[in-house]
Amino acid sequence: MSGFSRRAAVITGGSNGIGAAITQRLRADGFRTIVLDLMEPACPADRFHKVDLAEADALAGLCAMLAAEEEVTCLVNNAGIVVPAALEELELADFDRLMHINLRPSIVCARAFLPVMKALGGGRIVMNTSRVTKGKELRTLYSATKGAAQSMARTWALELGQHGITVNCVAPGPIATDAFWRNNPPGAERTQEIINRVPVRRLGTGEDVANAVSFFCAPEAGFVTGQTLFVCGGVTAG
């Protein structure tokens, strides 16, 4: 069998916010959706497994089981947390925490599903990174994890292209999720400044990000790999 086709898609952190929008869109596109998260999905999914993504051994065991049971041709590494802090105030303990949630699961999952993708003739891997890789105050650790993910994706694109597996990144700008509002309170002057700096004059939605993920996961996107698409309303243009 050769050539990528939409079969099963694994979405880490796919239960809420951007992750839920991605799950919903890929399901509409024809994928069988498998969500790995701590919380029950807020949208329909074909399969859900509760797992702490920071627990590498537990995650690896779950992915091995899924690789044996499902035809996984798509992996969306969406999970991520933010711990805002100025350089002088950040806690070094948060370095491991963010690396183990924002970055390491991408490696664990990809290693588990690569044999399946190769056997089925192709695959799609998408990283949900962030506009912060261009620089943003109070995001030392978060930007470090997302920048590492983008660099890792380019390396994987070079290694896996020969197998029909593409690896790309979607990098959202300011998106109106619960996480955004927790870090940027509604009505706060700083929050309004963020919105005013967006050229299209609005915050993005989970659906905006899901549209970009959908493109990278399509069979027609097989000649696009190693790329980062900024879904930011034009913030990164200037």
Side-chain angles (χ1 to χ4, degrees), residues 146-214:
K146 295 303 185 178
Q150 287 180 190
S151 294
M152 196 163 65
R154 290 193 295 270
T155 298
W156 293 2
L158 296 175
E159 292 182 4
L160 302 176
Q162 63 183 309
H163 302 291
I165 301 169
T166 65
V167 189
N168 293 287
C169 300
V170 172
I175 307 295
T177 62
D178 290 343
F180 175 87
W181 295 120
R182 280 196 301 271
N183 294 312
N184 304 279
E189 182 178 350
R190 183 179 179 83
T191 302
Q192 192 57 49
E193 287 176 359
I194 292 173
I195 298 172
N196 291 342
R197 286 201 300 265
V198 180
V200 302
R201 291 298 188 270
R202 69 170 176 87
L203 295 175
T205 66
E207 289 71 25
D208 289 324
V209 181
N211 287 338
V213 174
S214 175

Side-chain angles (χ1 to χ4, degrees), residues 211-232:
N211 287 338
V213 174
S214 175
F215 163 72
F216 281 136
C217 294
E220 296 81 6
F223 199 60
V224 182
T225 193
Q227 304 304 307
T228 296
L229 175 57
F230 288 91
V231 182
C232 64

